[in-house]
Amino acid sequence: SQKIEQNSEALNIQEGKTATLTCNYTNYSPAYLQWYRQDPGRGPVFLLLIRENEKEKRKERLKVTFDTTLKQSLFHITASQPADSATYLCARPFNDYKLSFGAGTTVTVRA
Amino acid sequence: DTAVSQTPKYLVTQMGNDKSIKCEQNLGHDTMYWYKQDSKKFLKIMFSYNNKELIINETVPNRFSPKSPDKAHLNLHINSLELGDSAVYFCASSQDKFAESSYNEQFFGPGTRLTVL
């Protein structure tokens, strides 16, 4: 099965620092990886998609990398703010029609 | 304007009852999904419809029956509710049905928290 794992359930970080989240996958490299943000009591919101042939993607203070050798994607939040506190999910194509989601990493940014 | 909406937001009911959750999207997408998120926060796909046609039917008890009256709506009916059905159910939509398409970004509804007593 095309597993996807986020190796940290929780990450506590001081405001202003960079948070780095890890997403590991098994078997073949997917065509892309997606990252979502989920706030308590809400549905996930799409943030970024990085394709297999892209090493890095940026959106404002977010940066995502894709390493097909390590079978890993890193998600960075630079200059973190308390408003960045949320659960972040990665997802990969699972078969023709499905996405497989990781369990998420809950980030708490302390002021 | 809400892109993907679900009703109700909360549903508390007794074991054995039958209940429905409704979902509507106004994004013009062809593909809609039902996901279940359990207490461990795993999002698991249950069903997917593309243009009213069922394309994903995961190993879900047949007490769960989706219905898509048109491509903007996907409802979920649950018969004979059990304690283990308690979870948050999310409806989602995407432009494209193919998982490897760059247009498979999922737009999620706000969720329905189902509690079975």
Side-chain angles (χ1 to χ4, degrees):
Chain A
S1 62
Q2 319 306 337
K3 280 196 177 171
I4 192 153
E5 291 177 355
Q6 294 181 251
N7 65 351
S8 184
E9 272 190 30
L11 183 65
N12 293 314
I13 192 162
Q14 185 73 37
E15 183 176 10
K17 301 289 188 189
T18 297
T20 298
L21 287 61
T22 306
C23 179
N24 295 297
Y25 61 88
T26 59
N27 297 317
Y28 65 86
S29 284
Y32 63 75
L33 289 164
Q34 295 182 3
W35 284 89
Y36 290 79
R37 170 182 172 142
Q38 186 173 18
D39 289 284
R42 294 177 175 261
V45 174
F46 173 81
L47 294 174
L48 282 164
L49 178 151
I50 183 166
R51 293 184 178 83
E52 186 182 11
N53 61 355
E54 294 175 319
K55 291 267 192 284
E56 182 180 298
K57 197 91 169 264
R58 290 177 186 260
K59 180 181 175 181
E60 298 170 355
R61 293 182 295 106
L62 305 179
K63 184 179 89 170
V64 175
T65 62
F66 195 159
D67 189 326
T68 55
T69 304
L70 294 177
K71 296 192 174 183
Q72 182 178 85
S73 175
L74 298 180
F75 179 88
H76 306 272
I77 309 171
T78 59
S80 58
Q81 302 169 0
D84 295 325
S85 299
T87 297
Y88 294 87
L89 308 167
C90 66
R92 66 160 290 165
F94 182 61
N95 68 8
D96 285 347
Y97 304 118
K98 299 179 206 174
L99 287 184
S100 176
F101 283 84
T105 297
T106 298
V107 174
T108 303
V109 182
R110 303 187 308 273
Chain B
D1 235 6
T2 307
V4 182
S5 57
Q6 293 177 232
T7 53
K9 174 88 171 153
Y10 299 96
L11 192 49
V12 181
T13 188
Q14 300 286 334
M15 266 196 317
N17 284 350
D18 302 338
K19 289 292 177 187
S20 292
I21 308 171
K22 295 188 174 182
C23 178
E24 176 181 1
Q25 54 96 4
N26 63 6
L27 297 165
H29 289 166
D30 285 343
T31 309
M32 294 185 73
Y33 309 82
W34 278 109
Y35 286 88
K36 179 180 180 180
Q37 190 172 46
D38 59 24
S39 55
K40 291 188 195 280
K41 304 295 185 188
F42 266 110
L43 261 175
K44 291 175 67 172
I45 185 75
M46 299 173 69
F47 301 103
S48 172
Y49 273 73
N50 179 256
N51 234 339
K52 302 196 296 174
E53 179 190 344
L54 181 67
I55 56 170
I56 297 173
N57 186 356
E58 282 297 274
T59 311
V60 173
N62 57 15
R63 299 181 293 103
F64 289 79
S65 52
K67 187 165 277 190
S68 182
D70 56 61
K71 72 173 195 176
H73 295 85
L74 181 61
N75 303 323
L76 184 65
H77 188 76
I78 316 169
N79 288 327
S80 303
L81 278 155
E82 299 178 358
L83 292 176
D85 297 333
S86 296
V88 181
Y89 293 85
F90 287 101
C91 177
S93 72
S94 67
Q95 187 174 335
D96 198 331
K97 66 181 179 182
F98 293 106
E100 296 214 350
S101 162
S102 298
Y103 300 102
N104 196 255
E105 165 194 342
Q106 315 269 293
F107 291 78
F108 284 86
T112 296
R113 181 173 291 279
L114 172 64
T115 304
V116 182
L117 304 174

